[in-house]
Amino acid sequence: MGVKTWMLVYSNANAKEILKSKPLLNREFSIELAKKLFPSKRFTPIEDGNLLMTNPPRDKVYIGSFPGMSVVSSDNVAIDYPSKLPQSFIDTGLGNTLYLFAMHSVVDWFAYAIWKNGTLIRSLSVSGADGKVLENIGPKQPFEELYWSEGHPLFDDPKEENDSPYNFNPLDLGNAALNEYLGYQLEGYSDTLHIDPEKIPLVGLQKLPWWKIW
């Protein structure tokens, strides 16, 4: 299946530290949050997921509300240009920091963004399939510097790197972003991991077809 993720993380504190504390899932608030974020949809519960299952298809949502933070995984946020995230996902009052993470290994694509108190601080979207930087807004965050300077080779032939605006694998940067802000990654080795994503539960919800709403 490869590496795939698309999710939003709302946090009032250090999200990594919150997850590290093994926070309790508030199931009732999670369901109410889904209704708030997707007001035109109706849901029915399905089997719970976890942070390893943040790549649901169009008809499902995985969502989790915890003390100090919330996680929302939906294909609605798998967007090439994070700065174009609908304002309804930003103006929620859920936390002073909002993160967007999205990766798809089939096209070696990674995107992430950070908002502070509703203001976009950083947005990056890079596609390894064609070597393009789709979006690059705001200052590079400290964890990015290694990748932009020394890099992780994207091409077998180093000469080809001269034709690309970067020379790292976007998925490497994507896993580094997850590790930096949430304390885990989906693939690759790191000796700094703090979270077992499979142990962080998310409520599973099935979107009902319109003809089943009434």
Side-chain angles (χ1 to χ4, degrees):
M1 293 179 62
V3 177
K4 301 176 186 177
T5 189
W6 30 87
M7 65 176 171
L8 299 175
V9 177
Y10 301 87
S11 180
N12 275 319
N14 185 312
K16 182 191 296 187
E17 292 302 316
I18 293 174
L19 292 175
K20 189 176 178 180
S21 71
K22 299 179 181 179
L24 293 177
L25 174 68
N26 187 326
R27 188 172 299 275
E28 181 177 349
F29 190 82
S30 299
I31 295 173
E32 290 304 311
L33 177 57
K35 295 176 181 178
K36 176 181 178 180
L37 293 176
F38 306 95
S40 65
K41 303 296 183 183
R42 298 294 181 271
F43 299 98
T44 187
I46 57 174
E47 185 177 357
D48 281 358
N50 56 62
L51 281 182
L52 284 183
M53 300 169 65
T54 53
N55 61 333
R58 184 172 300 179
D59 63 340
K60 292 182 175 63
V61 170
Y62 287 107
I63 189 165
S65 290
F66 308 91
M69 71 177 295
S70 296
V71 178
V72 181
S73 181
S74 164
D75 77 318
N76 295 77
V77 304
I79 53 179
D80 289 338
Y81 300 89
S83 67
K84 296 183 179 181
L85 181 72
Q87 200 66 29
S88 60
F89 286 112
I90 299 172
D91 298 334
T92 62
L94 287 173
N96 52 34
T97 304
L98 167 61
Y99 301 95
L100 180 153
F101 301 98
M103 276 194 291
H104 201 308
S105 59
V106 172
V107 290
D108 284 340
W109 167 69
F110 162 65
Y112 92 109
I114 305 172
W115 289 261
K116 296 284 188 180
N117 297 314
T119 299
L120 182 66
I121 301 300
R122 176 63 169 146
S123 179
L124 176 69
S125 180
V126 288
S127 173
D130 49 21
K132 290 183 178 180
V133 176
L134 303 176
E135 187 162 84
N136 188 0
I137 299 172
K140 296 179 179 66
Q141 299 302 292
F143 81 93
E144 296 181 48
E145 294 297 339
L146 170 66
Y147 294 84
W148 291 101
S149 58
E150 300 177 24
H152 290 242
L154 177 62
F155 303 101
D156 292 332
D157 184 355
K159 295 180 181 178
E160 294 184 55
E161 294 179 6
N162 297 326
D163 298 324
S164 174
Y166 58 88
N167 67 332
F168 55 81
N169 187 318
L171 300 181
D172 288 344
L173 184 59
N175 279 289
L178 289 175
N179 191 358
E180 174 72 15
Y181 296 112
L182 302 183
Y184 75 94
Q185 57 194 51
L186 297 176
E187 69 174 3
Y189 171 78
S190 173
D191 58 2
T192 62
L193 299 180
H194 299 285
I195 309 300
D196 181 350
E198 198 168 8
K199 293 184 178 179
I200 304 297
L202 299 175
V203 174
L205 298 172
Q206 176 88 41
K207 297 177 183 176
L208 293 174
W210 66 268
W211 46 269
K212 286 190 176 181
I213 292 178
W214 297 280

